[in-house]
Amino acid sequence: MAVMENILPELPRIREAAAAMREVVLANLVMLGEAPAPTSQESRRISLLVERFSEFGLQHAAIDDLGNGLGVLYGTEGKRTILLTANADTMFPLESVPVIQMHSDEVIGPFVGDNSPALAALLSLPALLERLQIRLKSNLILSGTARMLHTSNLEGLRYLLDRAPMPIQSGLVVEGVQLGRLNYSCLGLLMADLTTKVPDDYDWSQFGATGSIIPMTDVINRINRIPLPRRPQTSIILGKLFGGFTYRNIARQTTLSFEVRSESAEILDQLAAQLDDITNEVAANSGVHVRLNIFARRQPGGLDIAHPLVRQVRAVHSAMGIQSMLYPTTSALACFADRKIPAVTLGFTTGQRRGELEEAYEAVSIPAMWNGLTQLAGVLLAMDEGVSNEK
């Protein structure tokens, strides 16, 4: 904790400097937030990010072959390298131009919490460090990653970690919300699509022909009957169901998209086998084609709560009056855990989806951003001293 004795007293000065950067941070947020960036089509947003990296004088400001944008802030010693990263893709479609509404204390926009504030923080941190006349000893790679959401299965960050311009010793993942989140471990994960589809020779004239939806309800009922343990924590999230086109026509195909999460890799394997059994049994009983496609598998892992990096983040939160929210994640942190690189995920600001807003719209707090930026700078200073690599 000797390192923190020097860092914690600096937090009020850092916050004052962060709050003074309001115009810079919000301009970055609007610029990036209004650039459409659905998964695999992030090029416009990534280009803007890299242009700003270059304008600020970061080295190697470029877009890699997979579409990630990155820049390097070289340290005074360069013995270690920290990767500061945020996903650049969003759930908003390319054909719809998102409009960011700026109010006195909040920013409102479609899916604005995921992940424009995090990218704005990432863009603003070098300027904050310069304003504070702080030179890190470690190299700092800043990256907005592409192809992270949906079926891409974190492809952008995996690619970057395998091909970074220098070996990475520690990582910091930034999410737009919620300020106070501290993810240090990952749940194991299966992501899957299960499809029921009527065969080409399906007898549509048969009375009671049900198409693809009724067999899908059988699948869902069987999944719901799978007993799940409370320890290790395990859950099945039924996220999306799509099938058919009209009221009057029998659906030819129905697809269920879902996730299976568990603290145990062994239980994930068992559940994958049970899902395969359900697939085969429903197919045999219904006469329709049933296909299970598990397109993503992630292993549980990450840090222990007693790891020095986790302790230092909690110390920063405590000094700032922020309540740490400790829970495992299924997102980008898994890429670091797979490679045994110490890393945590932190939120930048607070946000909410209020009832009076349209379905896709979210509101994020502006005042909370200054605590968020201060938190990131404080944790970076601790990582710069090598606490994240202590055993």
Side-chain angles (χ1 to χ4, degrees):
M1 295 294 287
V3 169
M4 302 310 291
E5 290 176 0
N6 295 325
I7 294 173
L8 298 182
E10 288 293 307
L11 295 178
R13 183 175 76 94
I14 296 174
R15 192 189 184 286
E16 183 179 353
M21 291 180 58
R22 175 188 173 103
E23 301 303 322
V24 173
V25 175
L26 296 182
N28 286 334
L29 194 162
V30 172
M31 176 192 70
L32 295 166
E34 293 190 341
T39 301
S40 299
Q41 296 175 294
E42 310 90 342
S43 58
R44 182 177 169 190
R45 181 175 289 186
I46 292 287
S47 294
L48 291 170
L49 188 74
V50 171
E51 285 174 16
R52 286 298 174 93
F53 282 161
S54 182
E55 289 170 6
F56 194 78
L58 267 62
Q59 302 297 305
H60 308 297
I63 300 174
D64 67 21
D65 290 341
L66 197 107
N68 300 311
L70 66 155
V72 180
L73 190 63
Y74 278 104
T76 55
E77 298 179 359
K79 295 178 180 177
R80 288 187 295 269
T81 299
I82 302 167
L83 175 60
L84 179 65
T85 183
N87 69 283
D89 49 351
T90 177
M91 292 178 283
F92 208 62
L94 187 65
E95 59 271 16
S96 301
V97 177
V99 177
I100 303 296
Q101 304 169 25
M102 194 66 64
H103 300 268
S104 59
D105 286 336
E106 64 181 10
V107 179
I108 297 175
F111 300 114
V112 71
D114 185 15
N115 206 19
S116 303
L119 291 169
L122 193 138
L123 258 187
S124 305
L125 260 174
L128 176 62
L129 296 177
E130 183 178 78
R131 184 175 292 228
L132 293 164
Q133 298 183 321
I134 293 174
R135 290 286 309 277
L136 297 178
K137 291 181 287 188
S138 307
N139 301 320
L140 178 64
I141 300 178
L142 299 109
S143 172
T145 46
R147 300 190 199 178
M148 295 290 284
L149 304 176
H150 307 296
T151 58
S152 293
N153 191 26
L154 311 177
E155 186 179 5
L157 185 53
R158 294 183 195 281
Y159 183 93
L160 176 60
L161 286 171
D162 289 339
R163 297 168 178 80
M166 56 199 74
I168 293 167
Q169 279 74 43
S170 56
L172 179 52
V173 181
V174 187
E175 292 285 353
V177 294
Q178 296 283 350
L179 177 63
R181 70 181 287 178
L182 168 51
N183 307 130
Y184 56 90
S185 64
C186 307
L187 293 173
L189 177 75
L190 303 177
M191 296 179 72
D193 290 325
L194 193 150
T195 301
T196 54
K197 183 178 181 180
V198 297
D200 292 340
D201 58 353
Y202 191 71
D203 184 3
W204 296 95
S205 63
Q206 180 185 356
F207 181 77
T210 60
S212 63
I213 291 180
I214 295 300
M216 181 58 78
T217 63
D218 190 15
V219 168
I220 293 173
N221 287 333
R222 290 168 187 259
I223 290 175
N224 279 335
R225 289 199 294 269
I226 296 175
L228 300 176
R230 297 184 64 183
R231 290 288 184 275
Q233 290 186 34
T234 302
S235 62
I236 299 177
I237 310 297
L238 304 182
K240 186 171 70 174
L241 182 65
F242 179 80
F245 291 96
T246 68
Y247 289 97
R248 59 177 297 185
N249 297 102
I250 294 173
R252 290 176 176 271
Q253 180 172 313
T254 302
T255 299
L256 173 67
S257 301
F258 63 100
E259 288 186 0
V260 183
R261 304 172 180 174
S262 180
E263 295 175 318
S264 165
E266 182 179 359
I267 288 176
L268 281 180
D269 291 340
Q270 293 171 2
L271 289 172
Q274 288 178 275
L275 291 167
D276 190 58
D277 290 341
I278 290 172
T279 300
N280 292 324
E281 192 169 11
V282 172
N285 294 337
S286 65
V288 304
H289 297 312
V290 186
R291 179 173 181 268
L292 173 66
N293 176 25
I294 298 176
F295 58 84
R297 290 176 182 261
R298 299 175 199 164
Q299 297 298 311
L303 305 179
D304 185 85
I305 194 170
H307 190 279
L309 177 57
V310 182
R311 290 183 184 274
Q312 310 302 356
V313 175
R314 294 174 67 189
V316 169
H317 280 174
S318 178
M320 298 179 65
I322 298 172
Q323 179 66 47
S324 297
M325 295 181 284
L326 309 170
Y327 59 94
T329 182
T330 57
S331 58
L333 196 64
C335 300
F336 291 96
D338 287 348
R339 291 159 179 79
K340 310 298 181 190
I341 298 173
V344 293
T345 298
L346 302 177
F348 173 54
T349 184
T350 58
Q352 57 181 319
R353 303 182 72 179
R354 295 196 298 264
E356 76 268 21
L357 300 177
E358 293 181 33
E359 176 69 19
Y361 278 65
E362 300 168 342
V364 296
S365 167
I366 294 174
M369 293 179 186
W370 319 136
N371 278 343
L373 209 50
T374 304
Q375 160 210 231
L376 295 176
V379 172
L380 266 182
L381 290 174
M383 296 171 78
D384 190 43
E385 296 295 333
V387 297
S388 57
N389 299 103
E390 293 176 2
K391 302 296 184 183

